[in-house]
Amino acid sequence: MNEENLRWVQRIVEAALLAAGKPMGLDQLRDLFDEGDRPARQVMEHVMFQLEKSCEGRGFELVRVASGYRFQVRQEYAPWVSKLFEEKPQRYSRALLETLALIAYRQPITRGEIEDIRGVAVSSNIVRTLLEREWVRVVGHRDVPGRPAMYATTKQFLDYFNLASLDQLPPLSEIRDLDEIGREIEKTIQAEIEFESPSDEQTDDQTLH
Amino acid sequence: MNEENLRWVQRIVEAALLAAGKPMGLDQLRDLFDEGDRPARQVMEHVMFQLEKSCEGRGFELVRVASGYRFQVRQEYAPWVSKLFEEKPQRYSRALLETLALIAYRQPITRGEIEDIRGVAVSSNIVRTLLEREWVRVVGHRDVPGRPAMYATTKQFLDYFNLASLDQLPPLSEIRDLDEIGREIEKTIQAEIEFESPSDEQTDDQTLH
Amino acid sequence: MTDESVSDQTDVSDDATVAETAPLARVSGKALVDLPSDLYIPPDALAVFLEAFEGPLDLLLYLIRRQNMNILDIDVSEITRQYMDYIGAVEAIRFELAAEYLVMAATLAEIKSRMLLPRQVLDEDDEVDPRAELIRRLQQYERFKKAAEDIDQLPRVERDTFIGGAGLPVLPSRQSSPDVDLRELLLALQGVLQRADLFTSHHVEREKLSTRERMSAILATLNNDQFVKFESLFTVEEGRLGVVVTFLATLELVKEQLIEIVQAEVLGAIHIRSRASN
């Protein structure tokens, strides 16, 4: 494919992405072309790269999220652009975000398992909101009494938070092994008994790793 | 206003026009800026001119309509963009399929004869759809009062279903107890439904380990 | 390695920032960042106070952080005392207290009593040490609490970014036809036949479909009132089978009174003409 052809593909892809107003996958974009003109995947990847470059120094950028590519306003201009919309962006409660985090990092997970970790009941409202926003969906039922639904996140969830895949979520903090904790406690208790007072000096080497 | 400043205004205006999804007047655009930063109308006109130029050779352009400016996909890319909005074809009704099947097996056949076998009237819409699709054609008129048209299947019908001749269809006597076909079709339809639901494939690769 | 830095941030030892950046609650517009240290809490504030927590684990984490303690090194006696004080205060004003808070109170009480017992009791115990179990739960909860905060910080659509779109040019209308599976067609036919059987029982004969196909073809050839030579219906290329099919189709057409056959003289040419017409 020559230069002129590549630019032609690029303009059509650009036009389509702007017309769609939602993310489009490489294959969806390729399907817009008639069979004879359809660019190979490799060509498309090159085109997407060029398109990305063409947005340098502009008010928008090309971003790849879970369901494909989309043009979006650069984050630095959001303060001005947000004035276009009267409604303030929605804030989400901690309970909702914690539930969402558990589903995102621990999927597939049941409501009961979420409640075990959070230590409180999960309100039906929260689950409903997450389902209605299409951030989570039911992917099956656990084979235990009551057959509770198992939840997982969707591509829409990733799209909304500007992620291409779950790997891009901020990493979870490490957790100490239970046996290890047990041994630490043994030691501490030992120390407490010996000195008959809780020892503050130990704090440093007990820091999480 | 210096060059750098102008480009900054241009990027914000560009971002706002892309996000707005509707035409924006010059004053609406100026209102996005805080009073201290607000560009004069003259400056804005210059910015709009620059913006227009920046779309040269791209898939979209800046157009001026009655209520202001907006980005629009270039007309020449309409043929590709229109594929985005292609409606998914509906399924044919059972009545249509029955009519088509009877024409295939009992041709040449009149509408009245089809109605006799099906026990219900055949709507003109069905016949028109089949004629438009060029799956059936009129091969004559029966010499009875009303001179009803006699329908037969076409070569296109055979081509569509990958048949060399009607003989390759199973004989009527076999069709009466084709329970297996029923089961297979159920499966196919089920598979199609699953395939169509957008976020099904992701379960596996989204699972965190 | 990246995990390490994250866990450093979550470490309770540098906790002070958390209380500052995340107000516990708002009481009539004012951020409630810290709780009154004496235990006299006005009833209104106490209600808000409880709402500010996502449950007993969250409350415990708060207490631990306020004491500048490491989760792994909780002074159970002190934390239990503070927790009970809050629970007691809430109960005193007879707020409905969620069961989870009371269960936690019982757990804390159990841990405290165990620690007061001589050591051999702990040793002979095979089940999970309740203090270790509590620490595990606190750690587990805290990492997801942190994860929730992280998710909230991710740039998101409608707040930190906006999707770009442009107006559409005039689009040509496109229509596409539904796809049909042959088996769908056969299934439909089966349905008709079953229904038709209710009315007539011998509608279905053994019949070569090619005959009916040929009937249509012959009718299409006889498209005006002209007579056509009978022989012209046959082509050599089709071979013997083709001849038979055409012949059967002709007979069927005669039977259905769709064509007429004329022979002007004995052994003369046979002509056919459509009785149907176009």
Side-chain angles (χ1 to χ4, degrees):
Chain A
M1 210 171 235
N2 63 27
E3 267 305 306
E4 185 42 47
N5 246 324
L6 280 174
R7 276 202 296 276
W8 176 75
V9 172
Q10 185 178 329
R11 286 193 298 270
I12 290 180
V13 167
E14 179 173 68
L17 287 176
L18 284 174
K22 59 171 198 209
M24 301 268 299
L26 273 198
D27 285 328
Q28 278 177 296
L29 288 167
R30 290 177 65 230
D31 280 347
L32 298 178
F33 294 85
D34 289 332
E35 245 173 283
D37 297 328
R38 191 165 299 156
R41 272 191 79 101
Q42 253 182 317
V43 171
M44 285 299 281
E45 272 160 24
H46 175 71
V47 164
M48 299 321 282
F49 175 71
Q50 290 296 330
L51 210 48
E52 204 182 312
K53 276 213 318 204
S54 77
C55 298
E56 273 166 23
R58 306 203 63 149
F60 56 91
E61 59 189 335
L62 183 71
V63 188
R64 194 169 75 86
V65 290
S67 21
Y69 292 87
R70 72 180 174 205
F71 282 116
Q72 64 186 42
V73 167
R74 285 185 194 274
Q75 209 176 319
E76 55 197 298
Y77 304 118
W80 289 271
V81 173
S82 65
K83 292 189 194 166
L84 288 172
F85 309 98
E86 271 176 23
E87 262 182 63
K88 288 277 151 269
Q90 204 177 336
R91 293 187 58 137
Y92 296 99
S93 68
R94 267 182 58 197
L96 181 136
L97 289 167
E98 284 178 15
T99 306
L100 180 61
L102 277 161
I103 296 174
Y105 286 90
R106 276 296 165 83
Q107 58 191 298
I109 190 172
T110 66
R111 191 155 145 179
E113 289 158 358
I114 297 171
E115 290 174 343
D116 280 348
I117 296 180
R118 293 193 59 231
V120 279
V122 170
S123 93
S124 301
N125 260 334
I126 286 179
V127 177
R128 197 166 51 237
T129 305
L130 291 174
L131 286 168
E132 273 169 8
R133 292 233 56 173
E134 295 190 328
W135 284 352
V136 311
R137 66 198 175 111
V138 174
V139 287
H141 294 263
R142 209 177 274 297
D143 204 11
V144 295
R147 299 183 37 72
M150 289 187 294
Y151 298 96
T153 53
T154 61
K155 279 191 183 169
Q156 285 90 327
F157 159 76
L158 294 171
D159 289 350
Y160 191 81
F161 288 98
N162 266 291
L163 303 167
S165 76
L166 281 178
D167 291 348
Q168 298 187 347
L169 280 175
L172 263 189
S173 43
E174 290 263 304
I175 193 161
R176 296 282 290 277
D177 179 72
L178 197 52
D179 291 338
E180 204 183 325
I181 294 172
R183 281 195 299 276
E184 297 270 358
I185 290 173
E186 285 291 299
K187 260 201 298 186
T188 316
I189 291 173
Q190 201 67 46
E192 274 172 20
I193 289 166
E194 278 166 23
F195 297 104
E196 280 184 322
S197 74
S199 55
D200 277 331
E201 311 81 51
Q202 287 203 1
T203 323
D204 279 344
D205 28 77
Q206 289 202 357
T207 306
L208 290 180
H209 297 294
Chain B
M1 208 170 233
N2 63 28
E3 265 306 305
E4 186 42 49
N5 245 322
L6 278 175
R7 276 202 296 275
W8 177 74
V9 172
Q10 185 177 329
R11 286 195 295 269
I12 291 181
V13 167
E14 175 174 70
L17 285 176
L18 276 176
K22 59 173 196 233
M24 301 272 298
L26 274 196
D27 285 328
Q28 278 176 293
L29 288 167
R30 289 176 65 231
D31 280 348
L32 297 178
F33 295 87
D34 289 334
E35 244 174 285
D37 296 329
R38 190 164 300 153
R41 273 192 77 96
Q42 253 183 318
V43 170
M44 284 299 280
E45 272 159 22
H46 175 72
V47 164
M48 299 320 282
F49 175 72
Q50 290 295 330
L51 210 48
E52 205 181 312
K53 276 215 315 203
S54 77
C55 297
E56 272 166 25
R58 304 202 66 144
F60 60 98
E61 59 190 333
L62 185 69
V63 294
R64 218 194 138 143
V65 292
S67 41
Y69 292 87
R70 73 164 178 173
F71 283 122
Q72 190 169 303
V73 169
R74 286 185 195 272
Q75 184 64 46
E76 56 194 297
Y77 303 117
W80 291 272
V81 168
S82 70
K83 292 195 192 167
L84 288 173
F85 306 99
E86 225 166 61
E87 269 176 48
K88 235 196 164 250
Q90 311 249 296
R91 301 186 79 83
Y92 282 133
S93 67
R94 177 110 189 156
L96 181 139
L97 294 174
E98 287 181 8
T99 305
L100 178 60
L102 284 172
I103 294 174
Y105 277 84
R106 305 291 301 170
Q107 60 188 287
I109 190 171
T110 66
R111 191 156 142 184
E113 289 159 356
I114 297 171
E115 289 174 345
D116 282 348
I117 301 178
R118 289 193 56 226
V120 280
V122 170
S123 90
S124 305
N125 261 336
I126 287 179
V127 177
R128 196 170 49 240
T129 305
L130 291 173
L131 287 168
E132 273 170 7
R133 186 111 199 222
E134 296 189 320
W135 280 351
V136 311
R137 63 188 175 132
V138 174
V139 287
H141 293 262
R142 208 179 272 288
D143 203 10
V144 295
R147 301 179 27 75
M150 287 184 294
Y151 298 98
T153 52
T154 61
K155 184 155 182 329
Q156 286 90 328
F157 167 83
L158 294 175
D159 289 346
Y160 184 89
F161 291 104
N162 259 309
L163 304 167
S165 79
L166 279 184
D167 254 2
Q168 297 186 340
L169 286 175
L172 274 187
S173 48
E174 271 177 31
I175 290 201
R176 306 182 64 179
D177 29 42
L178 276 183
D179 286 336
E180 190 147 330
I181 291 183
R183 278 195 301 273
E184 272 181 47
I185 287 180
E186 286 290 299
K187 260 196 292 182
T188 313
I189 291 173
Q190 199 60 42
E192 271 172 29
I193 290 168
E194 274 164 24
F195 183 74
E196 277 163 25
S197 79
S199 40
D200 261 330
E201 324 89 305
Q202 55 175 15
T203 328
D204 284 338
D205 45 47
Q206 284 206 355
T207 310
L208 282 183
H209 302 292
Chain C
M1 283 297 120
T2 43
D3 281 341
E4 216 168 289
S5 62
V6 171
S7 57
D8 280 344
Q9 285 163 22
T10 53
D11 194 308
V12 282
S13 55
D14 46 50
D15 91 293
T17 49
V18 177
E20 270 164 37
T21 50
L24 279 171
R26 293 187 174 270
V27 184
S28 43
K30 271 174 61 187
L32 180 59
V33 175
D34 206 350
L35 292 168
S37 51
D38 56 83
L39 270 178
Y40 177 72
I41 304 172
D44 289 357
L46 196 56
V48 176
F49 166 70
L50 263 192
E51 273 170 27
F53 291 103
E54 289 299 324
L57 289 171
D58 198 22
L59 173 55
L60 269 183
L61 273 181
Y62 169 79
L63 295 174
I64 291 166
R65 285 169 164 182
R66 205 178 57 161
Q67 296 295 306
N68 249 333
M69 281 186 223
N70 188 313
I71 292 187
L72 297 180
D73 190 25
I74 311 175
D75 178 348
V76 174
S77 304
E78 181 54 22
I79 292 302
T80 306
R81 187 186 65 76
Q82 291 189 12
Y83 186 90
M84 295 302 190
D85 283 347
Y86 280 112
I87 297 295
V90 174
E91 279 195 311
I93 326 172
R94 273 171 287 162
F95 275 118
E96 191 82 24
L97 198 58
E100 297 100 349
Y101 283 92
L102 299 174
V103 171
M104 180 58 73
T107 307
L108 287 171
E110 193 204 347
I111 296 172
K112 193 175 164 184
S113 65
R114 280 218 197 190
M115 290 179 67
L116 295 176
L117 291 174
R119 276 197 27 78
Q120 66 264 31
V121 179
L122 264 177
D123 279 347
E124 76 192 20
D125 210 343
D126 272 344
E127 59 186 79
V128 185
D129 178 349
R131 187 172 149 182
E133 171 63 14
L134 177 67
I135 289 169
R136 190 191 62 80
R137 290 188 64 196
L138 280 168
Q139 267 195 308
Q140 188 74 279
Y141 172 68
E142 190 181 40
R143 70 203 296 232
F144 286 106
K145 181 182 156 138
K146 174 69 169 47
E149 288 164 8
D150 289 345
I151 285 181
D152 200 26
Q153 291 304 310
L154 289 173
R156 73 169 86 132
V157 175
E158 291 162 351
R159 188 186 70 182
D160 309 299
T161 186
F162 299 85
I163 311 285
L168 298 175
V170 183
L171 298 177
S173 72
R174 284 187 166 266
Q175 231 184 348
S176 54
S177 308
D179 287 327
V180 179
D181 189 311
L182 181 59
R183 290 170 304 179
E184 260 180 284
L185 192 64
L186 298 178
L187 194 70
L189 183 63
Q190 187 196 27
V192 188
L193 294 178
Q194 277 164 356
R195 281 207 318 275
D197 282 350
L198 297 176
F199 306 104
T200 54
S201 50
H202 29 242
H203 232 298
V204 180
E205 320 100 51
R206 282 189 179 275
E207 184 172 45
K208 282 298 231 180
L209 268 173
S210 47
T211 311
R212 300 218 65 98
E213 193 175 27
R214 188 57 55 94
M215 285 164 68
S216 299
I218 294 173
L219 277 179
T221 323
L222 306 174
N223 57 3
N224 48 37
D225 280 351
Q226 302 288 310
F227 279 102
V228 167
K229 275 192 166 178
F230 184 48
E231 302 98 279
S232 71
L233 298 179
F234 301 89
T235 52
V236 182
E237 293 77 37
E238 287 191 323
R240 183 176 299 203
L241 193 63
V243 172
V244 172
V245 169
T246 306
F247 189 67
L248 288 173
T250 314
L251 290 182
E252 186 65 27
L253 285 168
V254 172
K255 190 176 123 202
E256 289 191 24
Q257 300 189 334
L258 289 168
I259 58 170
E260 58 181 320
I261 301 187
V262 178
Q263 189 175 29
E265 53 197 88
V266 182
L267 296 179
I270 299 173
H271 286 87
I272 59 171
R273 185 174 69 164
S274 176
R275 294 182 55 154
S277 54
N278 289 292

